[in-house]
């Protein structure tokens, strides 16, 4: 399997024309974060920098982080107090952070961009939210690293982009400032040890003795867990709690109308088929309502930027739901192709493109990708807030991510370069382009040659070794295609 490369897992387009700067494309692949010039495709930076980039670092004990490096072995979770102290040092010494933190993760599954000059990512194994600066030349430098208590499943920003919102696999939503302000020390109240009222001198029956022993074991376990519990060493607040694994999190501002004034909301989806509508910070404790309609987990939520009153949701069902989410009203139910089997929605994206020389009308489209599928479904939003299937795009590999490039009037789709089309485990024997481009022509999305994409594809990403052990291959598959694990099986999960 020579020549295989890590596919792009996340894509974000940074429009900076208003500031008189070049637009930038931000992408993650494997354990690296990339920045590209959105006009030429020229690579501007790779983060973290290679440890062996200069001669002084070659004698370091740290393993090199070159782009030719293959997948690393699975590392222990970095959630101990000593590691949190290390992260605190990284935050206070951002210049050394890239080198010190270079061996802590194997992929970057979550990415967002704030104010066009900050990149927020979540690195996988160490459960760390990192904020990096994006300068005028597209260079990346870490500013802070904050370790979360649980592994994250969702990452977004508040509408003003000044605060980060995170959702974890235990159902909690945390918020904390984009840029930490000053020193923060959390005062932890001492835990009161549990002492059973009875002792083995006052209990005599066999059943009561067994009950007392069980209470003592539970007290010892509780004491151990309290001692090992991580204390977050940065300003934060828990604002929402689900009783199920949180799968999706978006923050939107709905404009004022005759019924409701302008207000921010947080929409969350979980494994138990729920979509919760909560008010935005600082009133996130106020639950407006629940949107019930799915019979399996919810994996993707999309409120189109061109119609914020509409919500499109999908997950483990064989259909999409279109909502008037503030009225808790289902407007439409759309059957998905391949509904005879298990269908999982991987992503829903709204794309709004300005008119171009080749297309006189503005583009407002909804794209839907299914997990492990090389087909991309395109829908248009009608005047009655329902969606109509417009086109189905066939790609060379499974669809992973999509972004609209307004300045070019096109969409860029990241495809899986490792697995065969329509498979989540069968690997390819040769490489293929990382990105594909489509442009709307006569109401049909057609593939086009784009010089920027050609340049990015030619430079590639980090490559994989010629031979990969089956265990490492499975870990790579599970890190990319893990939505199926949310599906409930049998009576135990019910």
């Amino acid at each position: 399997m020579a020549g295989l490369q890590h596919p792009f897992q996340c894509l974000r387009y940074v429009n900076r024309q208003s500031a008189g700067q070049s637009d930038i494309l931000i992408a993650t692949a494997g354990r690296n974060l990339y920045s590209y010039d959105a006009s030429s495709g020229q690579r501007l930076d790779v983060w973290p920098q290679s440890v062996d980039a200069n001669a002084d670092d070659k004698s370091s004990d740290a393993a090199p982080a070159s782009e030719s490096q293959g997948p690393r072995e699975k590392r222990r979770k970095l959630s101990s107090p000593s590691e949190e102290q290390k992260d605190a040092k990284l935050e206070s010494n951002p210049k050394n952070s890239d080198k010190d933190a270079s061996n802590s993760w194997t992929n970057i599954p979550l990415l967002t961009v704030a104010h066009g000059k900050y990149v927020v990512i979540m690195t996988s194994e160490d459960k760390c939210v990192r904020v990096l600066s994006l300068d005028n030349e597209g260079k990346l430098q870490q500013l802070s690293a904050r370790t979360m208590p649980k592994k994250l499943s969702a990452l977004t920003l508040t509408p003003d982009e000044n605060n980060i919102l995170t959702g974890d696999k235990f159902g909690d939503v945390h918020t904390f400032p984009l840029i930490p302000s000053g020193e923060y020390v959390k005062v932890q109240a001492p835990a009161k040890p549990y002492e059973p009222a009875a002792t083995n001198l006052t209990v005599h029956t066999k059943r009561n003795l067994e009950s007392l022993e069980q209470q003592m074991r539970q007290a010892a376990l509780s004491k151990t867990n309290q001692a090992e519990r991580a204390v977050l060493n940065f300003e934060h607040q828990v604002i929402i709690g689900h009783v199920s694994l949180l799968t999706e999190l978006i923050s939107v501002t709905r404009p004022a109308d005759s019924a409701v004034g302008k207000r921010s909301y947080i929409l969350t989806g979980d494994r138990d088929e729920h979509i919760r509508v909560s008010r935005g910070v600082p009133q996130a404790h106020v639950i407006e309502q629940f949107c019930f309609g799915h019979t399996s987990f919810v994996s993707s939520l999309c409120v189109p930027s061109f119609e914020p009153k509409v919500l499109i949701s999908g997950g483990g069902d064989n259909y999409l739901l279109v909502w008037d989410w503030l009225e808790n009203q289902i407007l439409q139910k759309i059957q998905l192709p391949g509904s005879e089997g298990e269908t999982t929605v991987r992503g829903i994206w709204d794309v709004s493109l300005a008119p171009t020389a080749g297309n006189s009308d503005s583009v407002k489209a909804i794209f839907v990708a299914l997990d492990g599928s090389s087909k991309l479904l395109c829908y248009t939003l009608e005047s009655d807030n329902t969606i109509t299937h417009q086109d189905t795009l066939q790609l060379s590999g499974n669809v992973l991510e999509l972004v609209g490039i307004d300045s070019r009037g096109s969409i860029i789709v990241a495809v899986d370069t490792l697995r065969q089309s329509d498979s989540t485990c069968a690997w390819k024997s040769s490489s293929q382009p990382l990105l594909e481009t489509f442009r709307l022509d006569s109401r049909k999305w057609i593939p086009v040659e784009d010089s920027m994409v050609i340049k990015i594809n030619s430079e590639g990403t980090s490559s994989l070794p010629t031979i990969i052990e089956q265990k490492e291959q499975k870990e790579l598959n599970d890190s990319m295609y893990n939505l199926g694990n949310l599906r409930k099986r049998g009576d135990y999960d019910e």
Side-chain angles (χ1 to χ4, degrees):
M1 291 184 290
L4 292 180
Q5 302 178 60
H6 281 287
F8 287 125
Q9 191 168 358
C10 300
L11 294 175
R12 293 293 183 273
Y13 174 63
V14 185
N15 189 332
R16 307 201 299 183
Q17 290 180 350
S18 59
Q21 303 168 4
S22 299
D23 295 346
I24 291 180
L25 184 68
I26 304 293
T28 67
R31 61 181 306 278
N32 293 324
L33 179 67
Y34 299 84
S35 64
Y36 298 93
D37 188 314
S39 58
S40 65
Q42 179 68 38
R43 182 187 293 174
L44 303 176
D45 200 9
V46 182
W47 181 90
Q49 293 291 336
S50 174
V51 180
D52 59 350
N54 53 61
D56 295 337
D57 290 333
K58 288 186 178 180
S59 59
S60 173
D61 294 334
S66 64
E67 290 189 29
S68 61
Q69 190 172 6
R72 302 173 181 273
E73 294 182 1
K74 190 174 182 180
R75 293 174 177 81
R76 63 185 179 87
K77 295 182 178 180
L78 304 181
S79 58
S80 64
S82 60
E83 290 297 334
E84 291 188 357
Q85 293 174 4
K86 178 180 177 181
D87 282 331
K89 290 182 179 179
L90 295 184
E91 187 171 325
S92 61
N93 298 283
K95 294 182 179 180
N96 300 326
S97 60
D98 291 358
K99 179 178 176 181
D100 294 342
S102 61
N103 298 324
S104 303
W105 65 89
T106 58
N107 70 319
I108 304 174
L110 301 175
L111 163 70
T112 189
V113 178
H115 301 299
K117 58 182 179 179
Y118 299 105
V119 179
V120 185
I121 61 173
M122 191 278 286
T123 48
S124 54
E125 287 85 350
D126 58 357
K127 303 173 293 187
C128 193
V129 176
R130 303 175 187 272
V131 178
L132 299 93
S133 63
L134 181 66
D135 65 17
N136 296 342
E137 287 73 38
K139 300 297 182 182
L140 298 160
Q141 182 179 4
Q142 181 171 300
L143 301 178
S144 65
R146 285 167 275 190
T147 302
M148 303 303 296
K150 305 296 180 183
K151 189 172 182 179
L152 299 184
S153 53
L155 174 70
T156 189
L157 301 167
T158 53
D160 60 8
E161 299 187 357
N162 290 328
N163 292 279
I164 300 171
L165 295 172
T166 64
D168 63 33
K169 293 193 173 183
F170 278 69
D172 293 332
V173 176
H174 289 76
T175 181
F176 43 90
L178 175 69
I179 305 300
S181 56
E183 296 292 332
Y184 173 78
V185 178
K186 179 176 180 178
V187 179
Q188 187 178 26
K192 184 179 179 180
Y194 172 75
E195 297 181 359
T199 67
N200 56 2
L201 299 179
T202 59
V203 173
H204 304 289
T205 66
K206 181 179 179 180
R207 177 179 296 180
N208 289 345
L209 283 172
E210 291 176 352
S211 177
L212 178 62
E213 291 174 359
Q214 185 177 1
Q215 292 180 38
M216 296 297 291
R217 286 194 298 268
Q218 188 64 32
L221 180 62
S222 177
K223 184 177 180 180
T224 302
N225 291 341
Q226 185 69 25
E228 295 178 352
R229 188 172 299 163
V231 179
L232 299 186
N233 59 350
F234 55 87
E235 182 182 354
H236 67 281
Q237 184 181 3
V238 181
I239 58 173
I240 295 175
H242 282 240
V243 294
S244 178
L245 188 154
L246 192 142
T247 55
E248 181 65 305
L249 166 68
I250 59 175
S251 179
V252 297
T253 299
R254 182 156 171 166
D257 55 25
S258 58
V260 182
K262 183 178 179 181
R263 182 179 289 167
S264 296
Y265 296 89
I266 298 174
L267 279 64
T268 50
D270 63 25
R271 189 191 180 202
D272 285 343
E273 309 95 37
H274 302 150
I275 300 174
R276 180 190 294 187
V277 180
S278 307
R279 291 189 185 178
V281 180
Q283 293 182 313
H285 60 280
V286 179
I287 301 175
E288 290 286 344
Q289 64 211 356
F290 285 90
C291 296
F292 296 118
H294 286 280
T295 59
S296 187
F297 62 88
V298 178
S299 60
S300 189
L301 302 174
C302 175
V303 174
S305 57
F306 44 84
E307 187 46 81
K309 296 181 180 180
V310 172
L311 167 68
I312 304 164
S313 62
D317 303 305
N318 56 3
Y319 54 82
L320 299 173
L321 291 179
V322 182
W323 305 78
D324 181 340
W325 52 272
L326 201 55
E327 298 296 330
N328 192 11
Q329 180 183 1
I330 297 178
L331 303 177
Q332 189 182 14
K333 181 177 180 180
I334 303 103
Q335 207 73 19
L336 292 170
S339 57
E340 64 276 1
E342 291 185 348
T343 302
T344 300
V345 175
R346 181 179 183 91
I348 306 175
W349 303 274
D350 66 295
V351 173
S352 178
L353 303 176
T356 60
N359 188 33
S360 57
D361 297 328
S362 60
V363 176
K364 295 180 180 179
I366 306 292
F367 291 93
V368 178
L370 306 181
D371 205 33
S373 173
S374 59
K375 291 181 173 60
L376 182 63
L377 308 176
C378 176
Y379 298 86
T380 56
L381 186 67
E382 305 297 337
S383 57
D384 61 352
N385 289 340
T386 60
I387 62 176
T388 303
H389 182 258
Q390 179 189 24
D391 201 0
T392 299
L393 284 60
Q394 179 63 56
L395 289 97
S396 60
N398 297 339
V399 178
L400 299 180
E401 181 66 288
L402 180 148
V403 66
I405 307 294
D406 189 61
S407 59
R408 308 177 86 85
S410 61
I411 61 169
I412 295 178
V413 185
V415 297
D416 192 343
T417 58
L418 300 180
R419 293 96 184 162
Q420 295 182 11
S421 297
D422 303 317
S423 173
T424 60
C425 55
W427 280 45
K428 296 182 176 180
S429 57
S430 60
S431 184
Q432 69 171 51
L434 298 158
L435 300 175
E436 296 185 28
T437 312
F438 292 83
R439 187 172 291 124
L440 190 64
D441 185 13
S442 301
R443 298 184 61 84
K444 296 287 289 185
W445 290 91
I446 59 173
V448 294
E449 296 290 334
D450 190 301
S451 58
M452 177 196 71
V453 171
I454 293 174
K455 176 68 174 177
I456 294 175
N457 288 336
S458 66
E459 292 188 343
T461 61
S462 54
S463 58
L464 294 167
T466 344
I467 300 176
I468 301 178
E469 295 182 2
Q470 186 175 1
K471 179 182 177 181
E472 292 177 328
Q473 194 176 98
K474 183 178 184 303
E475 289 178 354
L476 286 169
N477 290 340
D478 292 343
S479 67
M480 187 68 69
Y481 299 100
N482 51 23
L483 291 176
N485 298 331
L486 299 175
R487 197 175 297 279
K488 297 178 180 179
R489 309 283 185 182
D491 295 336
Y492 178 81
D493 279 331
E494 297 296 337

